[in-house]
Amino acid sequence: PVLAVVIIVFGYFVGWAQFTGLRETRAQLKAVEAGILDRETSLANVNKLLSDVESKRESVVLLDEALPNSPDIPELLANLEFLALQSGLVVSDLQIESAPVQSSEDESLEHAKLGVILAEVEVMGQFPQLSAFLLNVEHNLRLLDVQNIEFGSTDSESDTQNYTVNLKTYYQ
């Protein structure tokens, strides 16, 4: 009987220590599982944000094309020449100058700190080609405002006319 009591008491103290250790381990396991769940939720939120950024990146690229961060005059020159050639017009002169935003109609632009570039494109061709050029300017990604069009002399031999198109474009 004494041996049985000793074994029971020994088993109780050893078993109790094991049981207490098991309870602490389970509490730690629950805390780690909660931390993992929290991190998985955070990871899912970060992945969702990354996919949102990627989906909106195309919109930002289009906005940068429409309203570039700098005057980017070489690209503007190439773009205007390409639009004219695409329309079948021959470019005879291309003048570009920066202009401050001063007129009252442009007060909102001045507040937004937008720069303005004035472009004068002298082209030669027929009226349908000029019409196509204006349509190409309208559909161009870069924001281009046609200010006025001057109709010049007509060449009776080639049945072409000279046109001067004044444009305004903007940059940030």
Side-chain angles (χ1 to χ4, degrees):
V2 175
L3 184 61
V5 170
V6 169
I7 292 176
I8 291 174
V9 169
F10 179 74
Y12 173 76
F13 285 115
V14 170
W16 182 257
Q18 290 292 333
F19 179 71
T20 306
L22 180 64
R23 208 178 333 168
E24 289 175 4
T25 304
R26 283 186 180 168
Q28 290 174 350
L29 178 62
K30 284 185 180 184
V32 168
E33 286 175 344
I36 288 173
L37 184 62
D38 186 42
R39 287 187 179 146
E40 286 175 346
T41 304
S42 296
L43 181 61
N45 288 338
V46 166
N47 286 336
K48 183 179 180 239
L49 287 173
L50 283 174
S51 67
D52 287 347
V53 165
E54 288 300 320
S55 68
K56 292 183 176 53
R57 188 176 307 264
E58 286 184 25
S59 300
V60 171
V61 168
L62 289 177
L63 181 63
D64 282 344
E65 284 287 327
L67 196 62
N69 290 329
S70 64
D72 207 2
I73 290 175
E75 183 178 329
L76 177 62
L77 288 170
N79 196 3
L80 289 173
E81 187 172 2
F82 174 76
L83 292 174
L85 292 175
Q86 184 182 26
S87 305
L89 294 172
V90 176
V91 177
S92 56
D93 192 21
L94 192 59
Q95 301 283 329
I96 301 242
E97 66 180 67
S98 294
V101 180
Q102 292 179 347
S103 65
S104 60
E105 67 182 0
D106 291 338
E107 285 180 16
S108 62
L109 296 177
E110 187 174 2
H111 179 66
K113 296 183 182 176
L114 293 178
V116 176
I117 298 174
L118 302 175
E120 182 179 285
V121 185
E122 291 183 23
V123 292
M124 187 173 63
Q126 297 175 341
F127 185 77
Q129 295 167 332
L130 176 67
S131 227
F133 174 71
L134 294 175
L135 188 65
N136 288 336
V137 166
E138 180 181 348
H139 293 296
N140 189 27
L141 286 178
R142 185 159 182 169
L143 183 62
L144 294 166
D145 292 335
V146 176
Q147 297 298 302
N148 67 13
I149 302 170
E150 295 175 17
F151 293 80
S153 61
T154 304
D155 184 4
S156 59
E157 287 180 18
S158 62
D159 197 30
T160 59
Q161 187 169 5
N162 292 325
Y163 304 99
T164 303
V165 182
N166 292 312
L167 302 160
K168 185 189 280 190
T169 187
Y170 310 94
Y171 63 92
Q172 298 178 26

